[in-house]
Amino acid sequence: MNIPGYRAMKLPLSAGRHTKRMVMLVLLIVAALGYFFVAHDAFLYDTTIVRITAIETRHTETQDGIVSGTEHYYGQSITGQVLNGEQKGEDVFLYNQYTDSNVRDEQYRVGDCLLVELGQEGISGKILEQKRDTLVYAVSAALLLGMIAVADWSGLLAVGSLVINIALLVGALYCYLDGWNILALTAVMILLFTILSLLIGNGWNRRSMLAIVVTLLSLAATAVIYLVVRGVTPALQYQMLEFGVVPDDLSALFFCEIMVGGLGAVMDVAISLISTADELLERDPHIPYPELRQSVRAVSDDIMGTMVNVLFFTYICGGLPEMLLMMRNNLTISFVWEYVLSFEMVRFLTGSIGLVLAIPISQLVLRLWVRRQEAAHG
């Protein structure tokens, strides 16, 4: 094709694709090496790790279910090889019992690695849990590589933002264990999560600044509504919270949980609406505010139903296994509602309120911004 400038246009694109392929190849190699390291990192553990080399399984008993059906029990005589510590390379013998349902137990297979507490004699021990760091690494690496492959530079920024947020969360957990006030700590973390996520993902610009303001105002309004409603309604059965260890105030812990849980959804709505408005303002800085508001409203109509359903599936389905187990064991639906489903419903409804509030707050912030710009330009 003899078109002037054609080769000049195609070379950068081809070079960009070649560079991306090379970068992805390097990342794949690094990920593979990382997986190999994690699969052989037993020397980093203080707990004894045993790789299963042989298993003998036999049926031990059958019990009738509480409502219907039967439950079969099996015993596993396990032979394994120690991978770390003073007894590295030696064989040990373990025993495991599991059922068909695997509700409170699991079936092990040859090749699985187990964390084990060895007995005094050193030839037998107690199984603590399965070593799953290789699975966690593989899934995490696949997610990060997929983000980078699909979104290029933006995906890399998203990965960086995710890593920073995880580090902040881990730091916050240690601070909480050291006795920090949970409410003050949560407020600081929400502020940091919001600012860093939006600035890393979108840069220091008008779009990020407005999205930060909208997100924080929406969460603050949501918190006020939640606290008012909580103050005039009967308390939830907080002692039934999953993994609750009876800290000073379970209600405060639950409040912080739903605020952090709703942050991501509110932030997503805020950046979507603000990005739409900012794009229109860049194309036409003198666009009338009614037209700008109408465009933002159209986008909010498109995403609101999807986001509310995302929250519903995330929260309600999170308690589904426990609900099914309770009902399978002949507990009433009213009991399940009071002690399990009520928490999920409160999480869902509070997060949905935050989504709804983000729309008028976005319009208000945009209105104030447009007025300021009009005043600045006379």
Side-chain angles (χ1 to χ4, degrees):
M1 185 178 295
N2 189 17
I3 300 177
Y6 177 77
R7 292 179 61 84
M9 291 187 295
K10 293 296 288 183
L11 283 176
L13 180 60
S14 176
R17 290 177 177 174
H18 178 71
T19 302
K20 180 178 178 180
R21 290 170 182 168
M22 292 300 298
V23 170
M24 290 304 303
L25 178 61
V26 171
L27 291 177
L28 285 172
I29 294 174
V30 171
L33 292 175
Y35 182 84
F36 179 81
F37 174 80
V38 174
H40 298 82
D41 64 350
F43 64 93
L44 297 177
Y45 284 77
D46 294 329
T47 305
T48 302
I49 297 178
V50 174
R51 178 183 287 115
I52 299 176
T53 56
I55 295 179
E56 181 181 344
T57 303
R58 66 181 183 277
H59 176 262
T60 56
E61 61 177 315
T62 300
Q63 294 185 5
D64 294 331
I66 295 177
V67 180
S68 62
T70 57
E71 183 84 307
H72 299 284
Y73 287 75
Y74 301 89
Q76 291 184 301
S77 299
I78 299 173
T79 303
Q81 184 181 52
V82 179
L83 300 181
N84 61 345
E86 297 179 355
Q87 296 183 233
K88 181 178 179 180
E90 298 182 9
D91 289 338
V92 296
F93 303 95
L94 309 169
Y95 182 78
N96 175 58
Q97 179 175 281
Y98 70 94
T99 60
D100 291 330
S101 62
N102 293 133
V103 174
R104 298 180 180 275
D105 45 51
E106 59 182 312
Q107 177 184 3
Y108 298 122
R109 296 172 175 81
V110 174
D112 289 344
C113 291
L114 308 176
L115 276 66
V116 174
E117 180 182 342
L118 292 178
Q120 293 182 354
E121 70 283 0
I123 60 173
S124 63
K126 174 185 177 182
I127 299 175
L128 302 178
E129 61 179 318
Q130 187 173 349
K131 180 176 179 287
R132 294 185 174 86
D133 53 357
T134 50
L135 175 61
V136 173
Y137 175 85
V139 174
S140 300
L143 171 63
L144 299 182
L145 289 174
M147 293 172 64
I148 295 173
V150 171
D152 295 335
W153 177 247
S154 297
L156 186 60
L157 291 177
V159 170
S161 174
L162 178 62
V163 171
I164 291 175
N165 285 335
I166 292 175
L168 287 174
L169 179 60
V170 172
L173 292 175
Y174 278 108
C175 290
Y176 174 65
L177 294 176
D178 287 340
W180 288 39
N181 181 274
I182 184 65
L183 295 173
L185 184 60
T186 301
V188 172
M189 295 312 300
I190 286 177
L191 184 64
L192 291 176
F193 285 151
T194 303
I195 294 176
L196 293 177
S197 297
L198 291 173
L199 289 184
I200 293 175
N202 300 281
W204 184 274
N205 50 43
R206 173 178 62 189
R207 183 176 303 183
S208 296
M209 295 300 103
L210 294 180
I212 290 172
V213 172
V214 171
T215 300
L216 295 178
L217 288 177
S218 300
L219 282 176
T222 303
V224 171
I225 293 175
Y226 173 82
L227 292 175
V228 170
V229 173
R230 190 184 71 175
V232 298
T233 55
L236 295 171
Q237 301 292 334
Y238 295 112
Q239 69 273 13
M240 296 299 294
L241 277 172
E242 312 96 306
F243 310 111
V245 237
V246 194
D248 294 335
D249 191 352
L250 280 173
S251 63
L253 182 64
F254 183 66
F255 169 70
C256 295
E257 174 191 338
I258 60 177
M259 288 297 104
V260 175
L263 173 62
V266 173
M267 192 188 307
D268 185 63
V269 172
I271 193 62
S272 298
L273 300 182
I274 294 299
S275 296
T276 300
D278 187 66
E279 187 71 23
L280 294 173
L281 287 172
E282 286 185 357
R283 295 186 179 184
D284 183 8
H286 304 290
I287 183 174
Y289 175 72
E291 295 184 15
L292 185 65
R293 181 181 61 187
Q294 187 64 28
S295 298
V296 171
R297 182 62 181 271
V299 173
S300 67
D301 291 342
D302 290 337
I303 66 175
M304 183 53 57
T306 303
M307 291 303 301
V308 169
N309 278 284
V310 167
L311 284 179
F312 175 80
F313 292 130
T314 301
Y315 286 128
I316 301 301
C317 295
L320 189 59
E322 189 174 0
M323 292 163 50
L324 292 177
L325 282 175
M326 287 183 172
M327 296 176 67
R328 186 72 176 80
N329 285 275
N330 214 22
L331 296 176
T332 63
I333 190 64
S334 60
F335 180 91
V336 174
W337 169 266
E338 182 176 4
Y339 292 103
V340 179
L341 192 56
S342 58
F343 294 110
E344 308 300 341
M345 285 299 297
V346 171
R347 293 183 180 109
F348 161 64
L349 293 174
T350 306
S352 299
I353 289 173
L355 295 181
V356 173
L357 290 175
I359 297 174
I361 290 177
S362 296
Q363 295 175 354
L364 174 61
V365 170
L366 287 171
R367 179 57 175 162
L368 295 175
W369 175 264
V370 170
R371 283 184 177 179
R372 179 183 177 184
Q373 294 300 103
E374 291 175 349
H377 291 88

